[in-house]
Amino acid sequence: KNLQKPYESSEDARVAFETIMESLDFDGLLKKVSSSAERFKKKALIAWGVDDKYLDLNTVLNWLEYKPTSMKLFGMPASIGHFPQMDYPEQLVETITRFVEDKDVEAPSDISVPASAPAGPDF
């Protein structure tokens, strides 16, 4: 099942998503997420796709640097972008399962991700 299909075949879906991303008040959203994260005391994993077209690594690292939380950042491998749950759901499930079971999330994956695979919908 190809979860990216709606974005590949529908110009309307692609344009709608692009419009939402362009009109997003990113600073306002970041402040809301930040204030919520500061109250979050449970262990948490941020599974960030290294090919994310919307959040670069410096933004993620800067945001985490000043948060007094127990959040851990895990960079999902190349070819995984802003939508890891859509790009390679099996690998995301594997990573989350390892995290919840206190196993090494950075251990090599048992699931192969083609190096040439596209990362998320291409807008």
Side-chain angles (χ1 to χ4, degrees):
K1 182 176 180 181
N2 183 349
L3 296 175
Q4 297 175 18
K5 204 59 155 173
Y7 302 103
E8 293 173 353
S9 62
S10 171
E11 181 67 19
D12 291 340
R14 188 171 26 262
V15 169
F17 186 80
E18 189 173 276
T19 301
I20 290 169
M21 292 305 291
E22 288 173 353
S23 65
L24 182 68
D25 174 12
F26 185 76
D27 290 334
L29 178 61
L30 191 57
K31 286 177 185 175
K32 286 181 183 179
V33 171
S34 292
S35 67
S36 296
E38 289 170 3
R39 295 188 309 265
F40 197 76
K41 304 298 181 208
K42 300 279 185 191
K43 181 173 83 164
L45 177 71
I46 296 175
W48 174 75
V50 298
D51 282 346
D52 193 319
K53 296 177 183 180
Y54 305 105
L55 292 173
D56 63 75
L57 180 58
N58 287 333
T59 300
V60 176
L61 292 175
N62 287 337
W63 185 79
L64 284 174
E65 185 175 352
Y66 301 104
K67 301 291 161 263
T69 68
S70 56
M71 291 185 186
K72 176 183 172 98
L73 174 66
F74 174 68
M76 301 293 290
S79 299
I80 297 180
H82 191 72
F83 303 101
Q85 72 278 12
M86 293 175 65
D87 293 338
Y88 293 98
E90 300 87 359
Q91 193 162 33
L92 182 62
V93 168
E94 176 190 59
T95 301
I96 292 171
T97 301
R98 287 178 177 179
F99 180 75
V100 169
E101 294 175 351
D102 286 324
K103 295 180 180 173
D104 183 8
V105 295
E106 296 179 17
S109 176
D110 296 328
I111 299 166
S112 65
V113 176
S116 62
D122 187 18
F123 297 109

mmCIF file of all heavy atoms in Angstrom, residues 68-105:
data_model
loop_
_atom_site.group_PDB
_atom_site.id
_atom_site.type_symbol
_atom_site.label_atom_id
_atom_site.label_comp_id
_atom_site.label_asym_id
_atom_site.label_seq_id
_atom_site.Cartn_x
_atom_site.Cartn_y
_atom_site.Cartn_z
ATOM 1 N N PRO A 68 13.962 21.559 29.413
ATOM 2 C CA PRO A 68 14.264 20.712 30.567
ATOM 3 C C PRO A 68 13.364 19.474 30.567
ATOM 4 O O PRO A 68 12.479 19.333 31.391
ATOM 5 C CB PRO A 68 13.954 21.637 31.751
ATOM 6 C CG PRO A 68 12.872 22.529 31.234
ATOM 7 C CD PRO A 68 13.147 22.708 29.758
ATOM 8 N N THR A 69 13.547 18.632 29.584
ATOM 9 C CA THR A 69 12.706 17.443 29.459
ATOM 10 C C THR A 69 13.586 16.213 29.343
ATOM 11 O O THR A 69 14.801 16.298 29.300
ATOM 12 C CB THR A 69 11.817 17.510 28.197
ATOM 13 O OG1 THR A 69 12.663 17.407 27.049
ATOM 14 C CG2 THR A 69 11.019 18.791 28.134
ATOM 15 N N SER A 70 12.940 15.085 29.254
ATOM 16 C CA SER A 70 13.662 13.830 29.057
ATOM 17 C C SER A 70 13.466 13.340 27.621
ATOM 18 O O SER A 70 13.369 12.153 27.368
ATOM 19 C CB SER A 70 13.174 12.786 30.060
ATOM 20 O OG SER A 70 11.775 12.634 29.931
ATOM 21 N N MET A 71 13.402 14.283 26.684
ATOM 22 C CA MET A 71 13.232 13.919 25.282
ATOM 23 C C MET A 71 14.558 13.501 24.672
ATOM 24 O O MET A 71 15.588 14.094 24.958
ATOM 25 C CB MET A 71 12.659 15.086 24.489
ATOM 26 C CG MET A 71 11.251 15.407 24.833
ATOM 27 S SD MET A 71 10.616 16.702 23.753
ATOM 28 C CE MET A 71 9.038 16.970 24.509
ATOM 29 N N LYS A 72 14.488 12.474 23.844
ATOM 30 C CA LYS A 72 15.663 11.989 23.136
ATOM 31 C C LYS A 72 15.394 12.136 21.641
ATOM 32 O O LYS A 72 14.316 11.814 21.163
ATOM 33 C CB LYS A 72 15.903 10.519 23.486
ATOM 34 C CG LYS A 72 17.045 9.888 22.716
ATOM 35 C CD LYS A 72 17.180 8.414 23.051
ATOM 36 C CE LYS A 72 18.184 7.765 22.153
ATOM 37 N NZ LYS A 72 19.481 7.611 22.710
ATOM 38 N N LEU A 73 16.391 12.617 20.916
ATOM 39 C CA LEU A 73 16.272 12.767 19.467
ATOM 40 C C LEU A 73 16.887 11.552 18.789
ATOM 41 O O LEU A 73 17.977 11.121 19.134
ATOM 42 C CB LEU A 73 17.002 14.029 19.003
ATOM 43 C CG LEU A 73 17.092 14.238 17.492
ATOM 44 C CD1 LEU A 73 15.711 14.471 16.893
ATOM 45 C CD2 LEU A 73 18.016 15.397 17.174
ATOM 46 N N PHE A 74 16.151 11.001 17.846
ATOM 47 C CA PHE A 74 16.688 9.927 17.020
ATOM 48 C C PHE A 74 16.491 10.314 15.565
ATOM 49 O O PHE A 74 15.371 10.552 15.134
ATOM 50 C CB PHE A 74 15.993 8.594 17.303
ATOM 51 C CG PHE A 74 16.436 7.499 16.365
ATOM 52 C CD1 PHE A 74 17.728 7.010 16.426
ATOM 53 C CD2 PHE A 74 15.574 6.994 15.420
ATOM 54 C CE1 PHE A 74 18.149 6.026 15.560
ATOM 55 C CE2 PHE A 74 15.986 5.997 14.541
ATOM 56 C CZ PHE A 74 17.275 5.512 14.617
ATOM 57 N N GLY A 75 17.575 10.417 14.823
ATOM 58 C CA GLY A 75 17.501 10.738 13.404
ATOM 59 C C GLY A 75 17.199 9.494 12.597
ATOM 60 O O GLY A 75 18.017 8.587 12.538
ATOM 61 N N MET A 76 16.000 9.452 12.020
ATOM 62 C CA MET A 76 15.642 8.329 11.154
ATOM 63 C C MET A 76 16.567 8.377 9.938
ATOM 64 O O MET A 76 16.960 9.449 9.502
ATOM 65 C CB MET A 76 14.179 8.423 10.726
ATOM 66 C CG MET A 76 13.174 8.427 11.869
ATOM 67 S SD MET A 76 13.085 6.892 12.786
ATOM 68 C CE MET A 76 12.323 5.815 11.604
ATOM 69 N N PRO A 77 16.911 7.245 9.361
ATOM 70 C CA PRO A 77 17.883 7.198 8.261
ATOM 71 C C PRO A 77 17.482 7.996 7.024
ATOM 72 O O PRO A 77 16.336 8.394 6.876
ATOM 73 C CB PRO A 77 17.943 5.709 7.923
ATOM 74 C CG PRO A 77 17.438 5.011 9.131
ATOM 75 C CD PRO A 77 16.446 5.941 9.766
ATOM 76 N N ALA A 78 18.455 8.196 6.153
ATOM 77 C CA ALA A 78 18.228 8.889 4.881
ATOM 78 C C ALA A 78 17.050 8.252 4.164
ATOM 79 O O ALA A 78 16.771 7.067 4.339
ATOM 80 C CB ALA A 78 19.473 8.827 4.016
ATOM 81 N N SER A 79 16.389 9.044 3.376
ATOM 82 C CA SER A 79 15.176 8.677 2.639
ATOM 83 C C SER A 79 13.922 8.789 3.493
ATOM 84 O O SER A 79 12.840 8.541 3.015
ATOM 85 C CB SER A 79 15.243 7.270 2.038
ATOM 86 O OG SER A 79 16.307 7.182 1.131
ATOM 87 N N ILE A 80 14.080 9.148 4.764
ATOM 88 C CA ILE A 80 12.922 9.367 5.620
ATOM 89 C C ILE A 80 12.863 10.855 5.902
ATOM 90 O O ILE A 80 13.827 11.458 6.356
ATOM 91 C CB ILE A 80 13.002 8.537 6.917
ATOM 92 C CG1 ILE A 80 12.989 7.050 6.552
ATOM 93 C CG2 ILE A 80 11.862 8.897 7.854
ATOM 94 C CD1 ILE A 80 13.068 6.119 7.721
ATOM 95 N N GLY A 81 11.719 11.469 5.603
ATOM 96 C CA GLY A 81 11.587 12.918 5.714
ATOM 97 C C GLY A 81 10.669 13.361 6.830
ATOM 98 O O GLY A 81 10.680 12.810 7.922
ATOM 99 N N HIS A 82 9.839 14.361 6.548
ATOM 100 C CA HIS A 82 8.971 14.986 7.538
ATOM 101 C C HIS A 82 7.852 14.049 7.992
ATOM 102 O O HIS A 82 7.277 14.238 9.053
ATOM 103 C CB HIS A 82 8.371 16.262 6.938
ATOM 104 C CG HIS A 82 7.677 17.119 7.943
ATOM 105 N ND1 HIS A 82 8.359 17.843 8.895
ATOM 106 C CD2 HIS A 82 6.365 17.358 8.153
ATOM 107 C CE1 HIS A 82 7.491 18.500 9.645
ATOM 108 N NE2 HIS A 82 6.274 18.234 9.214
ATOM 109 N N PHE A 83 7.545 13.053 7.199
ATOM 110 C CA PHE A 83 6.454 12.130 7.504
ATOM 111 C C PHE A 83 6.974 10.707 7.674
ATOM 112 O O PHE A 83 6.676 9.828 6.859
ATOM 113 C CB PHE A 83 5.412 12.145 6.374
ATOM 114 C CG PHE A 83 4.851 13.506 6.103
ATOM 115 C CD1 PHE A 83 5.307 14.254 5.028
ATOM 116 C CD2 PHE A 83 3.874 14.047 6.920
ATOM 117 C CE1 PHE A 83 4.786 15.510 4.759
ATOM 118 C CE2 PHE A 83 3.345 15.298 6.659
ATOM 119 C CZ PHE A 83 3.799 16.035 5.588
ATOM 120 N N PRO A 84 7.753 10.432 8.728
ATOM 121 C CA PRO A 84 8.311 9.077 8.865
ATOM 122 C C PRO A 84 7.225 8.011 8.938
ATOM 123 O O PRO A 84 7.413 6.900 8.457
ATOM 124 C CB PRO A 84 9.132 9.133 10.154
ATOM 125 C CG PRO A 84 8.716 10.358 10.860
ATOM 126 C CD PRO A 84 8.155 11.298 9.830
ATOM 127 N N GLN A 85 6.062 8.365 9.491
ATOM 128 C CA GLN A 85 4.970 7.403 9.586
ATOM 129 C C GLN A 85 4.413 7.053 8.209
ATOM 130 O O GLN A 85 3.788 6.015 8.043
ATOM 131 C CB GLN A 85 3.865 7.917 10.520
ATOM 132 C CG GLN A 85 3.036 9.046 9.973
ATOM 133 C CD GLN A 85 3.674 10.432 10.134
ATOM 134 O OE1 GLN A 85 4.841 10.558 10.461
ATOM 135 N NE2 GLN A 85 2.890 11.470 9.901
ATOM 136 N N MET A 86 4.643 7.914 7.241
ATOM 137 C CA MET A 86 4.196 7.635 5.882
ATOM 138 C C MET A 86 5.331 7.089 5.021
ATOM 139 O O MET A 86 5.108 6.248 4.170
ATOM 140 C CB MET A 86 3.629 8.902 5.242
ATOM 141 C CG MET A 86 2.353 9.380 5.882
ATOM 142 S SD MET A 86 1.791 10.951 5.211
ATOM 143 C CE MET A 86 1.422 10.499 3.511
ATOM 144 N N ASP A 87 6.543 7.604 5.238
ATOM 145 C CA ASP A 87 7.672 7.188 4.420
ATOM 146 C C ASP A 87 7.985 5.703 4.629
ATOM 147 O O ASP A 87 8.066 4.953 3.670
ATOM 148 C CB ASP A 87 8.915 8.019 4.742
ATOM 149 C CG ASP A 87 8.759 9.476 4.339
ATOM 150 O OD1 ASP A 87 7.914 9.762 3.476
ATOM 151 O OD2 ASP A 87 9.487 10.314 4.889
ATOM 152 N N TYR A 88 8.205 5.319 5.872
ATOM 153 C CA TYR A 88 8.544 3.926 6.200
ATOM 154 C C TYR A 88 7.943 3.584 7.552
ATOM 155 O O TYR A 88 8.641 3.561 8.564
ATOM 156 C CB TYR A 88 10.062 3.709 6.186
ATOM 157 C CG TYR A 88 10.613 3.842 4.797
ATOM 158 C CD1 TYR A 88 11.183 5.022 4.359
ATOM 159 C CD2 TYR A 88 10.478 2.793 3.885
ATOM 160 C CE1 TYR A 88 11.629 5.160 3.063
ATOM 161 C CE2 TYR A 88 10.914 2.928 2.589
ATOM 162 C CZ TYR A 88 11.489 4.118 2.188
ATOM 163 O OH TYR A 88 11.917 4.260 0.900
ATOM 164 N N PRO A 89 6.632 3.328 7.599
ATOM 165 C CA PRO A 89 5.972 3.061 8.878
ATOM 166 C C PRO A 89 6.568 1.874 9.627
ATOM 167 O O PRO A 89 6.644 1.898 10.850
ATOM 168 C CB PRO A 89 4.511 2.813 8.493
ATOM 169 C CG PRO A 89 4.505 2.548 7.030
ATOM 170 C CD PRO A 89 5.709 3.235 6.463
ATOM 171 N N GLU A 90 7.030 0.868 8.894
ATOM 172 C CA GLU A 90 7.598 -0.306 9.549
ATOM 173 C C GLU A 90 8.835 0.063 10.355
ATOM 174 O O GLU A 90 9.044 -0.414 11.465
ATOM 175 C CB GLU A 90 7.958 -1.397 8.523
ATOM 176 C CG GLU A 90 6.782 -1.901 7.721
ATOM 177 C CD GLU A 90 6.493 -1.076 6.462
ATOM 178 O OE1 GLU A 90 7.210 -0.078 6.201
ATOM 179 O OE2 GLU A 90 5.543 -1.414 5.751
ATOM 180 N N GLN A 91 9.676 0.921 9.794
ATOM 181 C CA GLN A 91 10.892 1.314 10.497
ATOM 182 C C GLN A 91 10.568 2.211 11.697
ATOM 183 O O GLN A 91 11.211 2.123 12.745
ATOM 184 C CB GLN A 91 11.874 1.996 9.559
ATOM 185 C CG GLN A 91 13.241 2.119 10.200
ATOM 186 C CD GLN A 91 14.322 2.382 9.196
ATOM 187 O OE1 GLN A 91 14.087 3.040 8.184
ATOM 188 N NE2 GLN A 91 15.501 1.879 9.465
ATOM 189 N N LEU A 92 9.572 3.060 11.567
ATOM 190 C CA LEU A 92 9.163 3.900 12.691
ATOM 191 C C LEU A 92 8.613 3.036 13.821
ATOM 192 O O LEU A 92 8.958 3.239 14.991
ATOM 193 C CB LEU A 92 8.126 4.934 12.252
ATOM 194 C CG LEU A 92 7.665 5.889 13.345
ATOM 195 C CD1 LEU A 92 8.829 6.725 13.884
ATOM 196 C CD2 LEU A 92 6.564 6.792 12.824
ATOM 197 N N VAL A 93 7.790 2.056 13.487
ATOM 198 C CA VAL A 93 7.250 1.149 14.508
ATOM 199 C C VAL A 93 8.386 0.404 15.198
ATOM 200 O O VAL A 93 8.397 0.269 16.431
ATOM 201 C CB VAL A 93 6.230 0.162 13.896
ATOM 202 C CG1 VAL A 93 5.895 -0.960 14.870
ATOM 203 C CG2 VAL A 93 4.962 0.903 13.480
ATOM 204 N N GLU A 94 9.367 -0.051 14.423
ATOM 205 C CA GLU A 94 10.521 -0.741 15.001
ATOM 206 C C GLU A 94 11.255 0.180 15.986
ATOM 207 O O GLU A 94 11.600 -0.227 17.102
ATOM 208 C CB GLU A 94 11.477 -1.187 13.897
ATOM 209 C CG GLU A 94 12.757 -1.822 14.417
ATOM 210 C CD GLU A 94 13.777 -2.037 13.312
ATOM 211 O OE1 GLU A 94 14.176 -1.033 12.673
ATOM 212 O OE2 GLU A 94 14.161 -3.181 13.112
ATOM 213 N N THR A 95 11.470 1.425 15.604
ATOM 214 C CA THR A 95 12.178 2.391 16.449
ATOM 215 C C THR A 95 11.390 2.678 17.724
ATOM 216 O O THR A 95 11.951 2.677 18.826
ATOM 217 C CB THR A 95 12.425 3.696 15.669
ATOM 218 O OG1 THR A 95 13.201 3.395 14.510
ATOM 219 C CG2 THR A 95 13.153 4.717 16.516
ATOM 220 N N ILE A 96 10.093 2.921 17.600
ATOM 221 C CA ILE A 96 9.254 3.200 18.773
ATOM 222 C C ILE A 96 9.211 1.982 19.696
ATOM 223 O O ILE A 96 9.309 2.115 20.925
ATOM 224 C CB ILE A 96 7.839 3.628 18.339
ATOM 225 C CG1 ILE A 96 7.900 4.994 17.656
ATOM 226 C CG2 ILE A 96 6.887 3.655 19.537
ATOM 227 C CD1 ILE A 96 6.609 5.419 16.986
ATOM 228 N N THR A 97 9.082 0.803 19.123
ATOM 229 C CA THR A 97 9.053 -0.427 19.931
ATOM 230 C C THR A 97 10.344 -0.578 20.718
ATOM 231 O O THR A 97 10.321 -0.877 21.919
ATOM 232 C CB THR A 97 8.818 -1.657 19.031
ATOM 233 O OG1 THR A 97 7.567 -1.485 18.342
ATOM 234 C CG2 THR A 97 8.777 -2.935 19.849
ATOM 235 N N ARG A 98 11.477 -0.359 20.073
ATOM 236 C CA ARG A 98 12.762 -0.441 20.780
ATOM 237 C C ARG A 98 12.817 0.573 21.915
ATOM 238 O O ARG A 98 13.299 0.280 23.004
ATOM 239 C CB ARG A 98 13.919 -0.198 19.820
ATOM 240 C CG ARG A 98 14.175 -1.342 18.865
ATOM 241 C CD ARG A 98 15.298 -1.002 17.921
ATOM 242 N NE ARG A 98 15.605 -2.109 17.029
ATOM 243 C CZ ARG A 98 16.534 -2.052 16.095
ATOM 244 N NH1 ARG A 98 17.252 -0.949 15.922
ATOM 245 N NH2 ARG A 98 16.769 -3.094 15.322
ATOM 246 N N PHE A 99 12.349 1.791 21.665
ATOM 247 C CA PHE A 99 12.377 2.844 22.677
ATOM 248 C C PHE A 99 11.516 2.458 23.880
ATOM 249 O O PHE A 99 11.955 2.564 25.030
ATOM 250 C CB PHE A 99 11.892 4.158 22.059
ATOM 251 C CG PHE A 99 11.881 5.306 23.018
ATOM 252 C CD1 PHE A 99 13.064 5.922 23.401
ATOM 253 C CD2 PHE A 99 10.689 5.777 23.538
ATOM 254 C CE1 PHE A 99 13.057 6.991 24.289
ATOM 255 C CE2 PHE A 99 10.670 6.846 24.418
ATOM 256 C CZ PHE A 99 11.860 7.454 24.794
ATOM 257 N N VAL A 100 10.296 2.011 23.627
ATOM 258 C CA VAL A 100 9.365 1.642 24.697
ATOM 259 C C VAL A 100 9.905 0.459 25.500
ATOM 260 O O VAL A 100 9.725 0.396 26.716
ATOM 261 C CB VAL A 100 7.969 1.321 24.102
ATOM 262 C CG1 VAL A 100 7.054 0.681 25.119
ATOM 263 C CG2 VAL A 100 7.335 2.583 23.540
ATOM 264 N N GLU A 101 10.582 -0.455 24.825
ATOM 265 C CA GLU A 101 11.135 -1.631 25.506
ATOM 266 C C GLU A 101 12.527 -1.382 26.078
ATOM 267 O O GLU A 101 13.196 -2.313 26.506
ATOM 268 C CB GLU A 101 11.166 -2.816 24.532
ATOM 269 C CG GLU A 101 9.775 -3.263 24.120
ATOM 270 C CD GLU A 101 9.783 -4.359 23.058
ATOM 271 O OE1 GLU A 101 10.872 -4.673 22.498
ATOM 272 O OE2 GLU A 101 8.704 -4.904 22.792
ATOM 273 N N ASP A 102 12.979 -0.112 26.100
ATOM 274 C CA ASP A 102 14.304 0.267 26.603
ATOM 275 C C ASP A 102 15.446 -0.453 25.882
ATOM 276 O O ASP A 102 16.461 -0.785 26.479
ATOM 277 C CB ASP A 102 14.418 0.038 28.115
ATOM 278 C CG ASP A 102 13.655 1.082 28.897
ATOM 279 O OD1 ASP A 102 13.638 2.258 28.458
ATOM 280 O OD2 ASP A 102 13.072 0.734 29.945
ATOM 281 N N LYS A 103 15.254 -0.671 24.594
ATOM 282 C CA LYS A 103 16.314 -1.241 23.773
ATOM 283 C C LYS A 103 17.012 -0.125 23.019
ATOM 284 O O LYS A 103 16.535 1.010 22.986
ATOM 285 C CB LYS A 103 15.736 -2.275 22.803
ATOM 286 C CG LYS A 103 15.146 -3.479 23.508
ATOM 287 C CD LYS A 103 14.593 -4.478 22.525
ATOM 288 C CE LYS A 103 14.015 -5.682 23.257
ATOM 289 N NZ LYS A 103 13.320 -6.580 22.328
ATOM 290 N N ASP A 104 18.121 -0.423 22.402
ATOM 291 C CA ASP A 104 18.927 0.571 21.690
ATOM 292 C C ASP A 104 18.238 0.973 20.385
ATOM 293 O O ASP A 104 18.221 0.202 19.427
ATOM 294 C CB ASP A 104 20.316 -0.002 21.413
ATOM 295 C CG ASP A 104 21.241 0.989 20.739
ATOM 296 O OD1 ASP A 104 20.875 2.178 20.608
ATOM 297 O OD2 ASP A 104 22.339 0.570 20.335
ATOM 298 N N VAL A 105 17.704 2.193 20.342
ATOM 299 C CA VAL A 105 17.038 2.656 19.123
ATOM 300 C C VAL A 105 18.044 2.917 18.009
ATOM 301 O O VAL A 105 17.670 2.987 16.841
ATOM 302 C CB VAL A 105 16.177 3.929 19.354
ATOM 303 C CG1 VAL A 105 15.035 3.643 20.284
ATOM 304 C CG2 VAL A 105 17.003 5.095 19.818
#
